[in-house]
């Protein structure tokens, strides 16, 4: 099955794990998507507690970070996968170190959060 074929089956939730080199090096993991910011903030707190990496929920006043990594566009595959449902997507932009050192912990925390 190809990624595009998954779009034939709408999901309630979808997650994208991306690598990034963000304009704010003080942020290790930046969480965008259509999920409400209050929920993304809870996830950010859990990830930071479990991994020790600075984790932030995307906010409109984040400037360039918000413009580049908010993960809210209609063209975004996780937003297309939820078939227009509001609040179901997450997009994690991760710098290299958390991806290499804490990938399994990050995946587990996200899975538990969505469960």
């Amino acid at each position: 099955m190809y990624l595009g074929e998954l779009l034939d089956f709408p999901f309630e939730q979808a997650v994208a794990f991306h690598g990034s080199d963000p304009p704010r090096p003080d942020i290790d993991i930046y969480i965008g998507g259509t999920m409400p910011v209050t929920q993304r903030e809870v996830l950010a707190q859990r990830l930071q507690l479990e991994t020790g990496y600075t984790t932030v929920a995307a906010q409109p006043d984040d400037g360039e970070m918000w413009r580049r990594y908010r993960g809210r566009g209609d063209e975004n595959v996780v937003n297309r996968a939820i078939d227009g449902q509001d609040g179901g997507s997450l997009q994690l932009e991760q710098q290299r170190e958390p991806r290499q050192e804490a990938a399994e912990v990050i995946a587990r925390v996200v899975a538990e959060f969505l469960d």
Side-chain angles (χ1 to χ4, degrees), residues 15-32:
V15 181
F17 296 89
H18 291 217
S20 67
D21 186 15
R24 297 241 342 247
D26 58 320
I27 297 174
D28 298 308
I29 304 170
Y30 190 70
I31 305 174

Side-chain angles (χ1 to χ4, degrees), residues 27-105:
I27 297 174
D28 298 308
I29 304 170
Y30 190 70
I31 305 174
T34 62
M35 187 172 284
V37 69
T38 54
Q39 290 178 277
R40 289 185 285 115
E41 286 172 339
V42 169
L43 176 58
Q45 290 171 357
R46 289 183 187 174
L47 282 169
Q48 187 160 321
L49 180 66
E50 291 275 339
T51 67
Y53 290 105
T54 303
T55 306
V56 175
Q59 304 270 357
D61 60 353
D62 291 340
E64 182 66 16
M65 287 290 289
W66 173 259
R67 283 188 292 283
R68 289 177 57 186
Y69 300 115
R70 66 181 173 237
R72 300 179 68 86
D74 292 336
E75 72 287 348
N76 189 309
V77 70
V78 293
N79 297 334
R80 290 176 28 214
I82 60 170
D83 197 28
Q85 297 179 46
D86 289 334
S89 74
L90 288 171
Q91 180 169 300
L92 281 74
E93 296 290 344
Q94 306 161 90
Q95 290 204 42
R96 181 181 310 267
E97 188 174 330
R99 288 193 326 266
Q100 292 179 337
E101 303 297 325
E104 289 181 19
V105 174

